[in-house]
């Protein structure tokens, strides 16, 4: 079964500290993975996708097929990074269904 | 602005009633997704349409139904509403093929009283 797991509901760090939001997936095919961010229960916005290998707002994520993980990292957290972060998996053989993990709330304290 | 428009933004209704949520996708996007976001369940995939046809189904209750019209806008119908249906309902759209991004609307906040 396809599944995305984000084991941490809440991650609290101090400003300037490194951040790692964990994401593990279960999928037998070739995964397409994304990170979305939601500020104050507004619309979800794409943060980054693994195929583009870009860094957005200082965040990076590397796909590790061996560990079936796609953890989101940032070396120095900022207060404005406080938000909900969702890891998502695109299932193309089912019409392009996009399934999300439960989300991790990141709280960056001053 | 993502280009995805959802109406209404807020809806308050009583138990047992029926409501319709509307979504206009981004210009050119053929695929529409509906999601329910509640505090205890997180972001749950409900259903997806592509060019008017249902393509994928998630945890959608039988009391809920959706459709996508020829102009590609979509409606989510929720009937026999219960208190537990109170949630934020998001619509997203994307292109079907390729490594594409899903663009989300601002959501409709439904409160059932």
């Amino acid at each position: 079964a396809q599944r995305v797991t984000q084991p941490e509901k809440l991650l609290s760090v101090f400003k300037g500290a490194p951040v790692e939001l964990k994401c593990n997936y279960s999928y037998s095919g070739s995964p397409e993975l994304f990170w979305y961010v939601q500020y104050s229960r507004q619309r979800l916005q794409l943060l980054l996708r693994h195929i583009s290998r870009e860094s957005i707002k200082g965040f990076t994520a590397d796909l590790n097929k061996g560990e079936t993980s796609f953890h989101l990292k940032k070396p120095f957290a900022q207060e404005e990074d406080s938000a909900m972060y969702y890891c998502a998996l695109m299932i193309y053989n089912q019409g392009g269904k996009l399934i999300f993990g439960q989300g991790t709330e990141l709280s960056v304290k001053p | 602005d993502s280009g995805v428009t959802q109406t209404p933004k807020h809806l308050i209704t009583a138990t047992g009633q029926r409501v319709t949520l509307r979504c206009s996708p981004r210009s050119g996007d053929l695929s529409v997704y509906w999601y329910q976001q509640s505090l205890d369940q997180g972001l749950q995939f409900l259903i997806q349409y592509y060019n008017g046809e249902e393509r994928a189904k998630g945890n959608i209750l039988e009391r809920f139904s959706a459709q996508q019209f020829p102009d590609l806008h979509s409606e989510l119908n929720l009937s026999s509403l219960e208190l537990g249906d109170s949630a934020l309902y998001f619509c997203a759209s994307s292109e079907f093929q390729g490594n594409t991004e899903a663009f989300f609307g601002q959501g409709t906040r439904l409160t059932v009283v």
Side-chain angles (χ1 to χ4, degrees):
Chain A
Q2 303 99 3
R3 185 183 298 118
V4 177
T5 304
Q6 293 178 250
E8 302 140 328
K9 270 193 171 182
L10 172 65
L11 185 62
S12 185
V13 301
F14 286 102
K15 177 182 172 182
V19 171
E20 182 179 54
L21 290 88
K22 292 184 167 49
C23 171
N24 288 91
Y25 66 91
S26 173
Y27 181 48
S28 56
S30 184
E32 296 293 342
L33 289 152
F34 304 80
W35 276 99
Y36 281 81
V37 60
Q38 185 183 32
Y39 299 101
S40 303
R41 291 183 76 78
Q42 300 299 313
R43 73 178 76 222
L44 277 79
Q45 304 169 47
L46 180 67
L47 184 60
L48 52 81
R49 67 186 90 175
H50 90 270
I51 58 158
S52 60
R53 301 185 66 81
E54 42 188 6
S55 173
I56 305 295
K57 299 183 180 182
F59 285 97
T60 59
D62 288 318
L63 176 62
N64 186 323
K65 290 186 178 181
E67 295 183 358
T68 60
S69 68
F70 188 55
H71 303 327
L72 184 68
K73 299 178 183 178
K74 184 169 183 176
F76 308 103
Q78 303 299 315
E79 290 180 68
E80 55 266 30
D81 296 330
S82 296
M84 280 293 292
Y85 291 81
Y86 290 94
C87 183
L89 171 68
M90 177 71 79
I91 310 296
Y92 285 103
N93 65 357
Q94 292 186 17
K97 181 168 68 173
L98 187 63
I99 60 173
F100 287 84
Q102 288 293 91
T104 297
E105 181 181 354
L106 176 63
S107 174
V108 182
K109 299 180 177 175
Chain B
D1 184 4
S2 67
V4 178
T5 304
Q6 288 186 249
T7 56
K9 284 189 178 180
H10 303 278
L11 197 50
I12 301 176
T13 190
T15 54
Q17 295 298 305
R18 172 189 168 93
V19 296
T20 297
L21 312 184
R22 183 188 168 99
C23 171
S24 295
R26 280 191 332 151
S27 177
D29 283 357
L30 300 179
S31 196
V32 170
Y33 309 80
W34 285 99
Y35 290 86
Q36 179 192 57
Q37 186 180 43
S38 58
L39 287 174
D40 56 342
Q41 294 290 323
L43 198 62
Q44 296 287 316
F45 169 74
L46 295 178
I47 198 163
Q48 184 220 349
Y49 281 83
Y50 172 70
N51 204 20
E53 292 186 5
E54 181 185 306
R55 298 306 295 264
K57 224 171 185 178
N59 301 323
I60 187 166
L61 300 172
E62 286 190 11
R63 300 184 285 109
F64 296 0
S65 64
Q67 53 184 331
Q68 186 179 27
F69 295 86
D71 68 352
L72 301 177
H73 92 270
S74 179
E75 293 181 355
L76 179 67
N77 300 296
L78 315 176
S79 61
S80 303
L81 285 168
E82 302 174 0
L83 295 177
D85 297 328
S86 296
L88 197 53
Y89 290 84
F90 283 108
C91 166
S93 73
S94 73
E95 296 175 303
F96 179 58
Q97 293 180 342
N99 305 318
T100 57
E101 170 184 354
F103 292 85
F104 281 77
Q106 83 281 12
T108 293
R109 185 172 298 280
L110 173 67
T111 303
V112 182
V113 298

